[in-house]
Every structure is written in structure tokens, then in C-alpha cells.
Amino acid sequence: MTDEEIKALQETNEKLTKELEALKQHTAGQQTLPNILPPPAANPPSPSLEEQAKANAEEKAKIEAASKKIEETLKFNMDIKRFVEENAAIVGEEIQSIISLSENVKYATALEKANELRSNILSSFFKRQEHIEALVIDKYKAKAAEFLELAAVVKNQRSAEFWDLFELAVENIKLKEKQEELLKKTNGQATDKKTNEHNKKFFDARSYYIPAKAA
């Protein structure tokens, strides 16, 4: 074998060696590539019947709560003017003016109107200490004072939480006035029967508002 043939054989061998090495690297890269990529997303397991029932119940509760809130808002907007007119002597002229002014304002939603009305009425009413005192129980006096300390935006947002304090205070004032009227008619010597009847009405009214609403 000549030198040239030997040289050519060596060159061919080197070429084959390089090709084999390149093939090995390529194969190794193919084997490690799947480990670099994130694993395919697994299909989430189907919820059980119990989980589906729970989710359905939660969704139903949300819908019912939203529906109730809308109903209460619409009822408030329809009834507040009448309530203020019927209790004008107690609530005062400022609150009557608030109702009148609101009739000329365009609100984006019924809820926005209700929140602003409640907030303004509560602020106006409970800025008078005698109206806070009309709540009688310290817990509710403190709650009225808490409302007055809130920022204006927060008052609007949370006005529904405090509204029953207003109704309770108005009712207590009305009942107190009736008691005073009764005492005047009897020259300060109200009979036990009439006093007991009045007290029963007073506590029945408070029991209606306090446990279910103002607590």
C-alpha cells in the first residue's frame, strides 16, 4: 500500500470518526431535550358529585344574596320619603331637605342613591347627641359614634350596616313621646295598666329592631 493510499485511508477514518462523534452528540441532545421542556399539563380531575353540589349551593347563595340586596335597595328608595314625612317632627328639616335635594340628582344606580341617602341621613341625625342617647343601650350608642368617625366614602359603602340604628332611635323617640303624653293626660299619675301597656309596646318595638337588625 502506497503512502498516498495510507494517507487517504487515514483521512477517511478521521472523517468517519468525526461523523460518529457528531451523531452521538445529536442523539444525546435528543435524549435530554424532553427533560428541559416543562411536562405536558395534566387534565384536572373531574369534580365529585359532592364538590359539584357544594359549588352549586355556593353559587345559588351568591345569586340569592345579590337579589335580596337589590330588593332591599329598591324598597328603601321607595319608602324613605314616606318614612321621613311621617316622622318629620323627629328627624328634622335638614333630613327632609336631603330627601328633597336627592330627587334632583341623577344617580348611576339605585344602590348608589340608597347608599348616599343613608349616609347623609345617618350623619345628620346622629350628630345630635340626644339622638344617640335615644338608642338607650351603650352597644348601639357606640355603633352610632363609630359611624360618625368613618370617612365619607366608607360611610357610603357601609351605610346599610348602620341604618337600623336610625330606625330604632326614631321608634324609641316616638314611644318616649307617647309616654310623656300619657303622663300629661293623667297629670303625671299614669295608671299601672296604661303604663304597662306602653312599656310592652316600647319593649316589643325594641325587640323587633335590636336582635335582628341593630346587633
Side-chain angles (χ1 to χ4, degrees), residues 140-160:
Y140 306 121
K141 293 179 186 179
K143 193 171 181 181
E146 176 192 347
F147 176 82
L148 295 177
E149 295 296 322
L150 297 175
V153 174
V154 181
K155 284 181 178 179
N156 278 16
Q157 294 172 343
R158 298 182 58 191
S159 61

Side-chain angles (χ1 to χ4, degrees), residues 5 22 24 28 36 38 63 74-75 81 86 111 128 148 157 161 173 177 179 192 201:
E5 289 175 337
K24 286 181 179 180
I36 298 173
I63 294 172
L74 294 175
K75 186 177 186 303
K81 183 177 180 180
E86 290 177 352
L111 181 60
R128 296 178 58 178
L148 295 177
Q157 294 172 343
E161 297 176 32
I173 293 170
E177 289 177 349
Q179 184 181 42
D192 289 340
K201 290 180 181 179

Side-chain angles (χ1 to χ4, degrees), residues 65-129:
S67 178
K68 182 180 179 181
K69 187 173 184 179
I70 292 171
E71 290 176 4
E72 290 176 345
T73 297
L74 294 175
K75 186 177 186 303
F76 172 85
N77 288 341
M78 289 188 295
D79 292 348
I80 184 59
K81 183 177 180 180
R82 176 187 55 78
F83 183 86
V84 168
E85 288 175 348
E86 290 177 352
N87 299 283
I90 295 175
V91 302
E93 293 182 359
E94 185 172 289
I95 290 178
Q96 294 175 65
S97 179
I98 289 172
I99 298 298
S100 297
L101 291 172
S102 70
E103 294 176 351
N104 299 318
V105 178
K106 291 184 178 180
Y107 295 93
T109 64
L111 181 60
E112 180 184 337
K113 178 179 180 179
N115 283 345
E116 185 166 0
L117 276 175
R118 279 190 294 248
S119 175
N120 281 276
I121 291 171
L122 287 167
S123 296
S124 174
F125 188 75
F126 285 119
K127 70 183 180 183
R128 296 178 58 178
Q129 186 62 32

Side-chain angles (χ1 to χ4, degrees), residues 143-190:
K143 193 171 181 181
E146 176 192 347
F147 176 82
L148 295 177
E149 295 296 322
L150 297 175
V153 174
V154 181
K155 284 181 178 179
N156 278 16
Q157 294 172 343
R158 298 182 58 191
S159 61
E161 297 176 32
F162 297 85
W163 181 250
D164 293 318
L165 294 174
F166 172 71
E167 293 183 343
L168 174 60
V170 170
E171 188 65 24
N172 285 350
I173 293 170
K174 286 166 65 176
L175 290 170
K176 183 179 179 182
E177 289 177 349
K178 288 180 180 179
Q179 184 181 42
E180 291 173 350
E181 183 181 349
L182 177 62
L183 289 172
K184 286 180 181 179
K185 287 181 179 179
T186 59
N187 294 321
Q189 299 295 324

Side-chain angles (χ1 to χ4, degrees), residues 187-200:
N187 294 321
Q189 299 295 324
T191 64
D192 289 340
K193 180 180 179 182
K194 289 183 178 179
T195 300
N196 289 339
E197 287 176 352
H198 170 269
N199 289 342
K200 184 177 185 304

